[in-house]
Amino acid sequence: MRCAFALVLAGAALAGCDGGGALLPGAQHHGGAFPAADRPVSRIVSPRWSTEEARDRKNEAAEVMGRAGIARGMTVADIGAGEGYYTIRLAERVGAEGRVLAEDIFPQTRDALAERVARERLNNVSVRLGAAANPKLPDNSFDRVLMVHMYHEIAQPYEFLWRMRPSLRPGGTVIVVDADRPTANHGTPPALLKCEFAAVGYTLVSMEEMPSAGGYLATFKAQGPRPEPAAIKPCRLPAGAADRR
């Protein structure tokens, strides 16, 4: 049965994985603490990555959705939805029998997107306010979780990915689009992305270049049991890697 959502309208090499990382203050959950990310975090400077017209000229959304295997009837989460470039196009792709949940962590951005969704009468879209370390997605609900040009802005990736895992349906995948550059420069090196996902029990399905979206597209699936937070081994960047441009 499809998950029913309520529309919210209210106001780059690695040194490997190492278990000795620092712990986030007050991050006690489920018998352990989530490790801190050993990398810079990009500052969120805008709810948009580029103009919608420029992105459509490159056929970005259509190419990403095609490579991600997003089809009619699916339920898709758009994480860090911003102004809704993907949300609007996903709604058309999945059709009336599909569902799209658009999530953002800023109330004003969430509200503006909710107004756009209502204005365009997208009855298969809901909008939700998430948190920096928790997308707050319903369990066992999504065929695809889409994260476009936002992964490098997640300050607590291990907790975020850990809390996101239960939202995937059997066979569901996470799609990440990002640039191959340091996280301090609004990108994520592919080796770092793969390591951080693997630390929380995700397996890389594929990774391919994605020039139309300014970088690459990576697909992950959850595999095996979800690790206890205290058992997560953080990825370590080699000395000086965080400063490379």
Side-chain angles (χ1 to χ4, degrees), residues 58-227:
K58 295 181 178 180
N59 203 33
E60 178 191 333
E63 190 172 356
V64 167
M65 291 187 295
R67 294 196 190 188
I70 295 171
R72 296 188 69 82
M74 283 188 171
T75 298
V76 182
D78 182 12
I79 306 299
E83 295 180 343
Y85 173 73
Y86 273 91
T87 299
I88 304 306
R89 289 151 182 82
L90 285 166
E92 181 178 0
R93 174 64 68 101
V94 302
E97 294 184 359
R99 296 289 183 271
V100 177
L101 186 149
E103 181 265 10
D104 206 275
I105 65 172
F106 294 105
Q108 64 272 27
T109 302
R110 182 274 316 268
D111 293 348
L113 179 54
E115 291 174 4
R116 180 180 182 181
V117 166
R119 185 171 61 251
E120 299 191 22
R121 298 182 179 181
L122 300 176
N123 297 325
N124 61 344
V125 175
S126 59
V127 184
R128 171 170 294 196
L129 185 67
N134 185 358
K136 299 184 178 181
L137 303 179
D139 289 354
N140 192 31
S141 297
F142 299 100
D143 302 297
R144 300 288 185 272
V145 173
L146 199 62
M147 305 170 72
V148 179
H149 292 295
M150 55 77 63
Y151 186 80
H152 50 266
E153 298 170 348
I154 300 174
Q156 300 170 36
Y158 302 110
E159 181 173 1
F160 189 96
L161 295 175
W162 189 90
R163 295 191 179 283
M164 188 175 75
R165 262 193 61 155
S167 73
L168 290 170
R169 286 177 169 162
T173 57
V174 180
I175 310 298
V176 178
V177 176
D178 215 337
D180 183 3
R181 53 177 179 251
T183 54
N185 196 25
H186 299 281
T188 309
L192 176 63
L193 181 76
K194 181 179 178 181
C195 185
E196 290 186 345
F197 267 77
V200 193
Y202 295 84
T203 298
L204 179 67
V205 176
S206 64
M207 183 173 288
E208 50 193 315
E209 292 185 1
M210 196 75 189
S212 64
Y216 60 83
L217 182 148
T219 302
F220 295 90
K221 65 179 180 180
Q223 192 166 20
R226 186 172 61 162

Side-chain angles (χ1 to χ4, degrees), residues 19-35:
L23 300 178
L24 294 176
Q28 296 292 329
H29 302 283
H30 298 270
F34 290 96

